[in-house]
Amino acid sequence: MTLTTFALVRHGQTDWNAERRLQGSTDIPLNDVGRGQARDAVAVLAPYEWDAIVSSPLSRAAETADLIAEGLGLTVSRRVPELTERSFGPAEGMQAGPELEALRVPGGFKGAESEDEAADRGLAALEALAEEFRGQRLLVVTHGTLLRVSLSRAIGQTLASVDNAALNLAHHHAMDGWKLEYFNGEPVMAAAGS
């Protein structure tokens, strides 16, 4: 049985995260708190042996990956454009309120990538990585919404929001699909009857 293990890590905090603004595909850099979160993630990831690390090309994920890689004595293999965060279109940069609500439509926002489109793209990227790195341990640094919708689709269960720089440990098997072992740093309890 060839199992591919994934650490799926959301980037560290940005100023827009702290201000509760929708980031989406806008390229907002890490702040100092986010850099600290990335460095702190090394201790959680170090007990595992990682074969490779990849990330989204957006700077907040790329820098998080670089900091983690440095702490683990690795180098980032590449940036994967399909791991870019879900586009929220004209809603990017907005905070909760009437202006944002005016853009809301079922499944997202006007002019934005739908949740289904983001889940399709994200899961396809993870499946391609599972094929490429079959039987290995891969560290992937990407974005909260993309991770949430992709993992929810992969395991057939709706997940809560993904914490910055927390460990999400998943396993992929070509026959059995995806199993989530840790979510936001906590063990995942198997659903009754599964």
Side-chain angles (χ1 to χ4, degrees), residues 5-9 45 50 137-141 167-170:
T5 298
F6 286 80
L8 301 163
V9 178
L45 295 164
W50 301 105
R137 294 176 162 272
L138 181 65
L139 210 160
V140 177
V141 181
L167 174 64
N168 303 288
L169 192 68

Side-chain angles (χ1 to χ4, degrees), residues 119-156:
D120 289 346
R121 175 172 55 83
L123 188 53
L126 293 175
E127 296 274 356
L129 289 167
E131 181 65 30
E132 180 181 349
F133 292 94
R134 184 180 296 223
Q136 298 182 55
R137 294 176 162 272
L138 181 65
L139 210 160
V140 177
V141 181
T142 184
H143 305 273
T145 299
L146 190 75
L147 271 178
R148 179 181 58 78
V149 299
S150 301
L151 281 174
S152 293
R153 172 82 52 87
I155 66 169

Side-chain angles (χ1 to χ4, degrees), residues 38-100:
R39 289 184 191 101
D40 291 346
V42 171
V44 175
L45 295 164
Y48 303 89
E49 288 185 25
W50 301 105
D51 295 303
I53 180 169
V54 300
S55 81
S56 154
L58 294 180
S59 63
R60 59 191 183 267
E63 185 178 0
T64 300
D66 291 345
L67 289 166
I68 290 172
E70 181 182 326
L72 295 173
L74 299 170
T75 55
V76 176
S77 300
R78 71 175 184 278
R79 311 299 179 195
V80 181
E82 294 81 9
L83 293 174
T84 298
E85 179 61 294
R86 174 184 176 190
S87 169
F88 290 107
E92 292 186 10
M94 291 186 179
Q95 295 170 304
E99 193 180 0
L100 182 61

